[in-house]
Amino acid sequence: MNLYSRAYSVDLDAAVPIEEPYESFDAFFTRALRDGIRPPCADPASVISPADGRLHDAGPVVEGGELLVKGQPYRVAELVGDEAEAERYVGGQFAVIYLSPRDYHRVHSPVAGRITQIRSLPGDLYPVNSIGERHVPKLFSRNRRVAIVIDTPDRGRVTVVMVGAMIVGRITVSAIDAHDVPLGDHTISPPVELNRGDEIGRFHLGSTAVMFVERDAAPVWNRPSGPILFGEPLHDPASTQGAPHGGDSER
């Protein structure tokens, strides 16, 4: 693990201290953070990043349920796995957070709410990096995906899609006790109650998180691409911008 940590500049100071070496590479890769090291943004209007990583892209979901990630078009339905569900996000916003090998690989809720449904979708395990983006059309919607549906009391529905990548691609979620999320749609009953920042899933190697919110559910995500930490807001709390209006259907 020491060689890996040096090669990828892994910040082990942020992790829970351990007395013995990690029992496996998976245990190292899914290591926990020290309590309180990633406090969620205090601004109650903010939607927080669900993970440490790089904010790869963010923007509006336009009419027809489409979005552009680094100039490549996607449909929300391809990512969340449901056409009717995708309609919720027309006029809303999306954000893509890429987790590199050096990052903390647990995923957290960007909002307070309840997990009501999990959709586990089959797919490939192409590398999620610049090479994969150049050579694999619609990369995110072709890879293995797990969509975590969170219903909120004041923001409608939020979906966090965990996208697997090369080599392993195993994904676990807090709402389902399993070695990997079984394929198919899973209604979570009773729903899992969440505070903002609670853990919702873990990547066991290779990963990207794609997040969707409905129209008017959050201020415009105006943070520029670049490094981001779990708990940090996706908008500038000092900004006075409102939420986007990319569609015209009723919600």
Side-chain angles (χ1 to χ4, degrees):
M1 307 305 176
N2 289 336
L3 180 61
Y4 182 95
S5 297
R6 290 196 300 271
Y8 287 102
S9 301
V10 176
D11 178 15
L12 289 178
D13 289 339
V16 172
I18 59 172
E19 296 182 358
E20 300 291 334
Y22 290 99
E23 62 183 18
S24 65
F25 181 75
D26 182 69
F28 166 75
F29 201 74
T30 59
R31 62 193 178 276
L33 291 177
R34 289 191 284 115
D35 286 344
I37 200 167
R38 297 281 190 273
C41 173
D43 179 7
S46 68
V47 173
I48 62 172
S49 173
D52 285 8
R54 178 179 178 81
L55 180 58
H56 189 66
D57 215 338
V61 177
V62 301
E63 198 63 42
E66 293 187 345
L67 56 142
L68 286 175
V69 180
K70 297 302 181 188
Q72 188 168 169
Y74 286 87
R75 296 182 63 245
V76 177
E78 296 170 336
L79 292 161
V80 304
D82 186 272
E83 291 282 352
E85 184 78 359
E87 285 296 314
R88 287 179 172 269
Y89 299 113
V90 173
Q93 300 180 87
F94 77 92
V96 179
I97 295 98
Y98 166 67
L99 291 74
S100 74
R102 71 179 300 273
D103 290 315
Y104 165 71
H105 272 68
R106 299 191 187 193
V107 177
H108 298 256
S109 183
V111 293
R114 306 187 305 165
I115 298 177
T116 55
Q117 190 169 16
I118 304 285
R119 294 190 198 88
S120 182
L121 309 168
D124 298 308
L125 293 174
Y126 292 110
V128 179
N129 54 26
S130 58
I131 295 173
E133 287 184 3
R134 284 198 301 269
H135 298 287
V136 183
K138 294 188 177 294
L139 172 64
F140 297 136
S141 58
R142 291 178 63 174
N143 272 11
R144 163 98 167 98
R145 307 175 302 293
V146 174
I148 302 171
V149 176
I150 303 169
D151 286 319
T152 77
D154 54 359
R155 298 180 189 267
R157 181 165 285 183
V158 175
T159 296
V160 178
V161 183
M162 298 177 64
V163 182
M166 60 183 291
I167 303 176
V168 178
R170 183 163 71 92
I171 295 169
T172 54
V173 295
S174 59
I176 297 175
D177 184 12
H179 179 73
D180 196 351
V181 185
L183 295 177
D185 288 3
H186 307 277
T187 298
I188 307 303
S189 182
V192 174
E193 299 286 343
L194 298 170
N195 293 314
R196 191 173 56 153
D198 284 352
E199 184 180 324
I200 58 174
R202 300 180 188 181
F203 286 112
H204 293 262
L205 198 67
S207 42
T208 297
V210 185
M211 183 168 58
F212 297 98
V213 298
E214 295 186 35
R215 185 214 311 247
D216 297 332
V220 170
W221 291 345
N222 53 6
R223 182 174 179 136
S225 298
I228 193 168
L229 296 176
F230 149 56
E232 293 182 342
L234 287 162
H235 81 287
D236 177 2
S239 171
T240 57
Q241 286 182 291
H245 294 274
D248 58 7
S249 56
E250 293 293 324
R251 294 286 169 267

